[in-house]
Amino acid sequence: MDADFSKRRARLLARFEAQARFCKAASPLYHRLFTLLGERLAQDAAFAAWILEAAAGRSSFDVPLLVLAGLHFQVLSRRPEARELAAYYPSVGGPAPATAPGLGPTLFATLDALRDELAAFIATRPVQTNEGARGLCWLLPATYTGWKSAHLVELGASAGLNLAADGRRYELSLQGGGLQVFGLGREDAFAVQGEGDFAPPATGVPPQILSRSGCDLAPLALADSAKRAYLAAFVWADQPARLQALKAGISALLQASSHSPLSFEACRLPEELPAYLAGLGRLAAPCILFNSYITMYLPDRGRGLAPLVARWARAQPHPVLWLQWEHLRGDHAPKAPVPGWLAWQVDLWQNGRHGHWHLAWVHPHGSRVCWLPALAPWRDFWS
C-alpha cells in the first residue's frame, strides 16, 4: 500500500466514525450502518480501493453521506437487489431492527450487487440537504425587523424547502416553561428545545415575502417524482417524522409559489455568487438572504462568501439581512458548546452601516438552540 492510499483511507475512516458518533442517539440504523462500513473500510483493502476510486475528487466529508443516500435511493426505488436490505429500512415499512445480526451481511451483499450504481452515485451526485427545520434560520430573526415585506434569497437552496418556512410551524420551547410559535402553519410543527434566556420579538409576524429565489450547484425541480425520491434519500431512513416533514415541506413550497414568484438557478459557490446576486437586480424592498449548513461542502469552506455578500449588500438601495447557520472556523473563533453545533449569525447592512450579531448555537437539525447574550441587543436594536 502506498502512503497516499493509506492517508486517504485513514481520513475517510475518520469521517465514517465521526458520522456514526453524530447520529448514535438520533438514528440507531444509521449509527450501525456507518459503523459497519467503517469497519469494512479498515479491514478490507479491496473495499477501501473501490470506495476511494469512486470518491476520487470528492470531499471526504461528503462520501459517507453519499454512500448511505445512494443505498437509500435504491431502497426507495424498490430495486430488486435492495429488497433484503429494505427489511431494515422503516422508510419503506421494513420491520427488522438495526441491532439484528443479519444487517451486516445483507448490507454488504447489497453493496456488492449494486457496486456500479453506487460508484456512479458517489462520484457524480451532489449532497442535497433537505432539513426543513433550518427554515427557522431566517424566519425567527426576520420577525424582529417589523418590515412589512421583503425579498427572500437562499444560497445552497437544494430544492428550496426552507424558502417556504413562513408557511410552516416552529414551536420553540422556552427554558423554564412556555412556548413561542413562529410561522403561519398549523400542522406538522417542528419542535425546537431552547436553552438560555430568550428575548422574544414584539409581534412574531414575519414580513410578507414578495419573491423567493434560490441558487444551488444542482437545484432540484420537485415536479419530478424521481428527484423527490432523490431528495428523500438523504433523510435518515429510520426517521419517518423527518420524511413526513419533507412531504409537508414540498406542499408548503408549492403553496408558497402560488402567492409569490419562485425561481432557482444553478450556481457554483463562491465563484459564481457575484453574477447570481447581480442577476437579482436592485431590489425594491429589503432582502433576507440566508444559508444553512452549506459551507462544509464548499471548496473554500465558505471563507469567500462574506466579502462577496458585503459588496453586493452595500450597493442595494434597501436593507439586506444575512442569516447563517454554519460552523465557525479559525483558531480564535468561539467554540460550540457541543461538537458539531452551528453558529446562528446575523449581518445587517442598512443606511450605509453594517452590524453583526451572534444570536445562538444550534443543532444542525434545528432541534435544539442555546441562546447567547447577543439576542437581547438584537431585539433592542429593532425596538
Side-chain angles (χ1 to χ4, degrees):
M1 278 320 151
D2 61 44
D4 181 64
F5 177 89
S6 298
K7 183 179 179 179
R8 291 191 298 129
R9 184 181 187 179
R11 184 186 304 120
L12 189 55
L13 175 59
R15 292 297 191 188
F16 274 98
E17 291 173 341
Q19 287 290 348
R21 290 192 299 271
F22 178 75
C23 67
K24 183 175 182 179
S27 175
L29 173 61
Y30 275 45
H31 169 70
R32 181 127 189 260
L33 291 173
F34 282 128
T35 299
L36 289 167
L37 288 164
E39 290 172 351
R40 185 165 180 184
L41 177 62
Q43 299 165 6
D44 185 339
F47 176 77
W50 169 77
I51 197 169
L52 286 172
E53 181 180 359
R58 303 305 302 259
S59 163
S60 62
F61 180 84
D62 295 3
V63 176
L65 306 175
L66 289 164
V67 172
L68 287 196
L71 281 168
H72 196 193
F73 183 72
Q74 301 298 334
V75 168
L76 292 171
S77 301
R78 308 287 180 171
R79 284 291 296 270
E81 298 91 337
R83 185 178 297 116
E84 292 187 14
L85 184 63
Y88 298 89
Y89 277 61
S91 58
V92 291
T99 54
L103 176 56
T106 302
L107 167 65
F108 295 120
T110 306
L111 273 169
D112 291 340
L114 292 168
R115 277 203 174 197
D116 291 344
E117 291 87 343
L118 290 171
F121 194 100
I122 296 166
T124 63
R125 296 296 190 108
V127 173
Q128 291 285 4
T129 58
N130 49 56
E131 182 52 72
R134 292 179 185 153
L136 193 64
C137 171
W138 73 264
L139 180 63
L140 185 147
T143 61
Y144 289 80
T145 64
W147 294 340
K148 294 186 180 301
S149 61
H151 297 278
L152 184 63
V153 180
E154 182 177 11
L155 307 181
S158 183
L161 300 186
N162 288 314
L163 287 166
D166 48 328
R168 311 297 300 277
R169 181 180 177 88
Y170 299 82
E171 296 182 348
L172 174 63
S173 297
L174 306 181
Q175 183 170 298
L179 193 71
Q180 188 88 26
V181 176
F182 295 90
L184 303 176
R186 298 188 178 185
E187 299 177 355
D188 300 308
F190 293 103
V192 185
Q193 182 63 49
E195 304 169 16
D197 293 332
F198 179 69
T203 65
V205 178
Q208 177 188 358
I209 301 303
L210 301 175
S211 67
R212 304 169 198 266
S213 307
C215 71
D216 195 84
L217 182 63
L220 285 176
L222 293 177
D224 185 331
S225 60
K227 290 183 178 179
R228 290 198 296 271
Y230 173 60
L231 191 62
F234 285 90
V235 178
W236 294 341
D238 58 348
Q239 293 193 326
R242 288 180 65 203
L243 284 166
Q244 183 59 39
L246 175 60
K247 295 178 182 178
I250 293 171
S251 297
L253 184 63
L254 295 175
Q255 178 69 18
S257 66
S258 68
H259 298 296
S260 53
L262 175 67
S263 63
F264 295 101
E265 288 189 26
C267 177
R268 184 178 295 276
L269 299 173
E271 56 265 37
E272 295 177 351
L273 180 59
Y276 172 72
L277 293 175
L280 298 175
R282 287 173 62 82
L283 299 174
C287 178
I288 301 168
L289 178 74
F290 73 101
N291 50 273
S292 58
Y293 209 72
I294 67 165
T295 59
M296 284 294 297
Y297 307 109
L298 302 184
D300 68 347
R301 293 299 189 262
R303 286 184 289 271
L305 294 179
L308 300 176
V309 169
R311 188 179 309 132
W312 174 79
R314 287 194 296 265
Q316 284 295 310
H318 295 280
V320 173
L321 181 63
W322 184 24
L323 299 315
Q324 297 190 81
W325 282 7
E326 301 290 356
H327 292 291
L328 290 186
R329 302 188 181 281
D331 295 338
H332 302 293
K335 300 299 182 184
V338 181
W341 279 35
L342 311 175
W344 194 342
Q345 298 185 91
V346 178
D347 286 89
L348 175 69
W349 290 267
Q350 181 172 259
N351 298 326
R353 303 179 68 179
H354 171 242
H356 175 83
W357 295 261
H358 182 179
L359 303 183
W361 294 101
V362 60
H363 185 280
H365 290 165
S367 56
R368 292 175 60 196
V369 177
C370 180
W371 301 109
L372 295 177
L375 183 64
W378 170 252
R379 188 257 329 264
D380 296 343
F381 174 85
W382 295 102
S383 62

